């Protein structure tokens, strides 16, 4: 009736894909939240009863879980089942956002455009259709939710010189270790920051998220190898840090507008054209030289 697939497990959060096929004929049962969570309803609908309130959640809404709260999901008016992408946050991360305050006790959030777009972005990242990390979107989602709920938008402070240097050094380190199996936790640990603060600082200084920068470092190396070497594409994908060929092909095509094989052909064709031009110019120069000698 309910299937759960863990997509990402990090120090600051866990991301899980939930799919429920329950309908009006299935009896609801009491459950208990084991942490602070936000579950994006990407498909279907269901009822959610908690803290004496009943919420009807449809696609685009969020279920907000508070640790220790009992709840019940109901389906008497919802016959189509539901699918959710759920983010469960670590206590330290919640503390960094302001602690266990009122926002985490709302139970549910109606479909708000500011949060819906982040939910869809997270789903795209989970499906491999975006170069941002699903964990990065999850951290940004929680921060955005708390800001909206409290009405306190964080000030966009200019990073201090020390922080800018730290972000640049992190970028250089990521570039040098791009072929290794890095994740947000590892990159943040190297920088000596929490994942959330590292993500915010890196994006503010470098202009892209750590995961985006990591992917682009791998793609840059892949493009060079595809253009200069005759090694199999699969070998290149693994050598630059991709865990499987299909992910590499999909990511490379999204970035380059063509497949790795097509890129290799285009690169070789351009090189052949340059070589032909150089050969023609060399032949013309030799002929002119012979004329001058004669």
């Amino acid at each position: 009736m309910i299937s759960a697939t863990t997509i990402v497990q990090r120090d600051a959060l866990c991301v899980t894909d939930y799919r429920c096929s329950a309908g009006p004929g299935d009896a609801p049962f009491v459950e208990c939240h084991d942490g602070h969570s936000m579950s994006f309803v990407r498909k279907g609908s269901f009822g959610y009863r908690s803290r004496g309130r009943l919420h009807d959640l449809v696609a685009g809404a969020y279920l907000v879980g508070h640790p220790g709260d009992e709840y019940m999901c109901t389906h008497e008016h919802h016959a189509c089942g539901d699918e959710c992408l759920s983010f469960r946050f670590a206590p330290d991360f919640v503390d960094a956002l302001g602690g266990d305050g009122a926002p985490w006790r709302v139970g549910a959030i109606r479909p708000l455009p500011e949060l819906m777009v982040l939910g869809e972005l997270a789903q795209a990242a989970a499906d491999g259709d975006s170069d941002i990390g699903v964990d990065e979107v999850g951290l940004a989602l929680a921060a955005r939710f708390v800001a909206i709920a409290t009405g306190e938008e964080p000030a966009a402070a200019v990073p201090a010189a020390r922080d800018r240097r730290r972000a640049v050094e992190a970028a250089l380190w990521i570039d040098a270790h791009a072929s290794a199996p890095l994740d947000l936790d590892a990159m943040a640990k190297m920088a000596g920051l929490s994942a959330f603060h590292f993500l915010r600082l890196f994006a503010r200084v470098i202009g892209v998220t750590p995961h985006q920068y990591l992917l682009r470092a791998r793609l840059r190396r892949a493009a060079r190898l595809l253009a200069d070497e005759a090694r199999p594409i699969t070998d290149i994908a693994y050598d630059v840090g991709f865990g499987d060929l299909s992910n590499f092909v999909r990511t490379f095509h999204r970035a380059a507008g063509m497949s790795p094989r097509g890129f290799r052909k285009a690169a070789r064709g351009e090189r052949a054209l340059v070589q032909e031009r150089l050969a023609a110019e060399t032949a013309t120069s030799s002929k002119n030289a012979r004329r001058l000698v004669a």
Side-chain angles (χ1 to χ4, degrees):
M1 187 179 298
I2 299 177
S3 66
T5 303
T6 299
I7 297 175
V8 167
Q9 177 72 62
R10 300 284 186 262
D11 290 344
L13 81 168
C14 177
V15 184
T16 305
D17 181 283
Y18 286 103
R19 304 188 182 209
C20 177
S21 59
D26 296 299
F29 53 93
V30 177
E31 301 175 76
C32 184
H33 289 294
D34 60 356
H36 297 86
S37 64
M38 295 180 67
S39 299
F40 175 62
V41 185
R42 68 167 180 258
K43 184 178 180 180
S45 64
F46 60 96
Y48 174 69
R49 188 185 298 276
S50 181
R51 291 179 171 268
R53 289 176 291 177
L54 176 62
H55 306 273
D56 288 300
L57 303 182
V58 296
Y62 282 87
L63 183 158
V64 180
H66 181 271
D69 281 2
E70 292 186 343
Y71 68 96
M72 182 182 295
C73 291
T74 63
H75 301 86
E76 65 268 27
H77 303 301
H78 306 271
C80 56
D82 60 89
E83 297 180 6
C84 295
L85 189 64
S86 180
F87 304 84
R88 183 165 54 84
F89 304 103
D92 288 348
F93 174 62
V94 174
D95 289 342
L97 293 181
D100 180 28
W104 298 102
R105 293 179 171 85
V106 298
I109 308 170
R110 67 184 185 279
L112 294 178
E114 306 96 314
L115 300 180
M116 286 172 54
V117 293
L118 289 177
E120 293 296 344
L121 179 58
Q123 187 60 56
D127 293 339
D129 295 329
S130 171
D131 62 358
I132 195 171
V134 64
D135 49 352
E136 295 176 337
V137 184
L139 298 182
L141 169 65
R144 184 65 178 147
F145 157 63
V146 171
I148 291 174
T150 60
E152 298 177 0
E153 294 286 350
V158 177
R162 177 175 178 271
D163 290 333
R164 296 181 70 86
R165 182 170 60 253
R166 178 179 285 179
V168 170
E169 289 174 350
L172 294 174
W173 185 87
I174 292 170
D175 189 64
H177 297 81
S179 60
L182 301 179
D183 57 31
L184 183 60
D185 285 346
M187 292 184 280
K189 184 177 180 180
M190 185 283 308
L193 296 169
S194 70
F196 176 59
H197 287 99
F198 174 67
L199 172 61
R200 294 182 67 182
L201 174 64
F202 191 95
R204 189 174 298 164
V205 175
I206 305 301
V208 295
T209 71
H211 187 72
Q212 287 175 319
Y213 188 77
L214 174 63
L215 279 186
R216 293 171 193 188
R218 290 172 175 172
L219 290 173
R220 192 174 67 251
R221 284 174 170 76
R224 185 168 63 247
L225 293 175
L226 288 167
D228 294 340
E229 298 187 14
R231 277 191 296 161
I233 292 175
T234 301
D235 291 351
I236 291 176
Y238 289 130
D239 286 349
V240 300
F242 284 90
D244 63 82
L245 180 61
S246 61
N247 184 30
F248 169 64
V249 172
R250 182 171 59 248
T251 304
F252 191 93
H253 195 287
R254 186 169 62 244
M258 63 180 73
S259 68
R261 190 177 304 278
F263 181 86
R264 168 171 275 173
K265 289 181 179 179
R268 288 179 175 178
E270 182 66 25
R271 187 167 58 213
L273 180 60
V274 172
Q275 290 172 343
E276 288 177 4
R277 289 177 178 173
L278 287 174
E281 291 175 0
T282 300
T284 301
S285 298
S286 299
K287 185 182 296 182
N288 291 336
R290 286 196 297 272
R291 288 176 180 174
L292 288 173
V293 172

